[in-house]
Amino acid sequence: MSLKVAVVTGANKGIGFAIVRGLCKRFDGAVYLTSRDEKRGRDAVAALENEGLHPKYHQLDITDPQSLKAFHDYIKEKYGHIDILVNNAAIYLENNATEPVAVKAEETLRVNYFSVLSTCEILFPLLRNGARVVNISSSYGHLSFIPSEKLRQKFQDPNLTVSELSDLMNQYIAAAKQGTQSKEWGNSPYAVSKVGLTALTKIHQRLLNDRDIKVNAVYPGYVNTDMSSHMGPLSIDEGAQAPLFLALDAPDSVKGEYVWFDKRIVSWAGQIPEENY
């Protein structure tokens, strides 16, 4: 059997870094730490090597189709396949009050939804039958963060297509530019982006069911990272536990789900659970 391959995006720090660390300890195959900034990525690899671990490195900017294509071609030529893909790269602009909501909306969705979609479109052809895809979502990815019942119904539509979902994301950006987003979409571009990612997870699962590929979204918990302004109570290694569970240990029956940091499968459209750390 050819060597297995795992890929983690946005992995030079935070939860992505800890996921690489966990994979290096347990995954029998090549583990790729990828990052937009090559120096930071190589420094992260060096830090893990100092722990006696052996990740591999490749530059990858998920917002750049050429970078995605170059990475696709490299993996295809060297291995021919991917067995685990962790879509971790994301941004959070909520606390930067200097930017108008229209700018936040467009940039947040560009990275957290549309660039992850591009990553999937370019890298999914490399997924081997039986592969696992883990999308790092958020508690804000719960459908209850969308105020409009009509919109929530659209997101839940079992026949929703990727193009229809992308249209919804663009409708939100247009509403934010007009200043009319609050009533139907709420006031958090980050929440809309992660609801979109969770919806995309469910669509991709439907499309990949016949290949035994598992696609799940996970809220890793409130983790002490730059993204949380270091307010979260969980360490990055604790935040990596649920993503690693989905990548390595979850039963094959767990697919197309929205999973929380304590490995519970949560109803995406039901009541949002309390966070008990």
Side-chain angles (χ1 to χ4, degrees):
M1 176 133 173
S2 55
L3 187 69
K4 288 187 174 181
V5 180
V7 174
V8 185
T9 68
N12 61 281
K13 63 179 181 177
I15 296 168
F17 178 81
I19 292 170
V20 171
R21 177 192 274 142
L23 287 171
C24 284
K25 290 178 178 178
R26 295 192 46 215
F27 180 67
D28 184 19
V31 179
Y32 273 85
L33 185 157
T34 72
S35 65
R36 182 176 57 180
D37 184 293
E38 183 163 349
K39 183 184 184 303
R40 290 178 183 173
R42 293 198 181 277
D43 287 349
V45 166
L48 291 171
E49 287 174 342
N50 286 338
E51 297 178 18
L53 302 173
H54 302 286
K56 297 181 181 297
Y57 179 74
H58 200 285
Q59 191 275 340
L60 178 61
D61 179 355
I62 69 163
T63 68
D64 179 359
Q66 290 305 116
S67 178
L68 282 163
K69 180 74 164 55
F71 182 66
H72 165 279
D73 293 350
Y74 169 82
I75 293 291
K76 184 175 182 180
E77 183 175 344
K78 190 170 177 66
Y79 305 99
H81 58 265
I82 293 172
D83 298 277
I84 293 173
L85 173 61
V86 181
N87 286 311
N88 171 71
I91 60 169
Y92 180 78
L93 300 176
E94 299 295 299
N95 295 328
N96 188 348
T98 62
E99 293 171 327
V101 68
V103 174
K104 287 185 190 175
E106 192 158 35
E107 182 64 7
T108 301
L109 267 69
R110 182 181 77 89
V111 178
N112 294 0
Y113 174 78
F114 287 104
S115 294
V116 176
L117 174 58
S118 294
T119 303
C120 294
E121 288 175 342
I122 291 171
L123 297 184
F124 273 14
L126 296 175
L127 292 177
R128 242 194 315 205
N129 288 356
R132 294 186 172 206
V133 178
V134 182
N135 294 326
I136 306 300
S137 186
S138 166
S139 58
Y140 288 100
H142 193 272
L143 200 53
S144 62
F145 281 91
I146 303 297
S148 163
E149 170 66 23
K150 185 177 179 183
L151 282 173
R152 292 198 301 271
Q153 291 297 331
K154 288 182 179 179
F155 278 113
Q156 290 179 76
D157 183 348
N159 297 310
L160 185 68
T161 65
V162 172
S163 63
E164 288 167 346
L165 176 58
S166 294
D167 284 345
L168 283 173
M169 297 289 97
N170 281 319
Q171 286 171 31
Y172 164 69
I173 293 169
K177 288 180 177 179
Q178 294 166 4
T180 60
Q181 81 287 349
S182 295
K183 186 176 180 182
E184 292 197 324
W185 294 94
N187 289 311
S188 171
Y190 184 75
V192 175
S193 76
K194 291 300 188 178
V195 167
L197 179 62
T198 308
L200 183 66
T201 300
K202 293 179 177 293
I203 296 171
H204 278 160
Q205 182 62 66
R206 290 203 316 267
L207 297 174
L208 294 167
N209 261 338
D210 59 347
R211 294 181 53 203
D212 189 34
I213 293 171
K214 275 70 70 176
V215 188
N216 289 289
V218 60
Y219 164 45
Y222 195 25
V223 179
N224 181 359
T225 65
D226 290 349
M227 196 175 278
S228 70
S229 301
H230 297 280
M231 300 291 288
L234 300 182
S235 71
I236 58 171
D237 290 304
E238 289 171 324
Q241 290 307 303
L244 287 167
F245 167 73
L246 289 173
L248 298 171
D249 302 316
D252 287 346
S253 57
V254 179
K255 53 188 182 180
E257 300 288 2
Y258 177 57
V259 176
W260 268 36
F261 61 94
D262 53 9
K263 303 171 188 173
R264 274 181 299 169
I265 295 174
V266 167
S267 171
W268 185 45
Q271 188 170 357
I272 192 166
E274 290 185 18
E275 297 187 43
N276 298 313
Y277 295 108

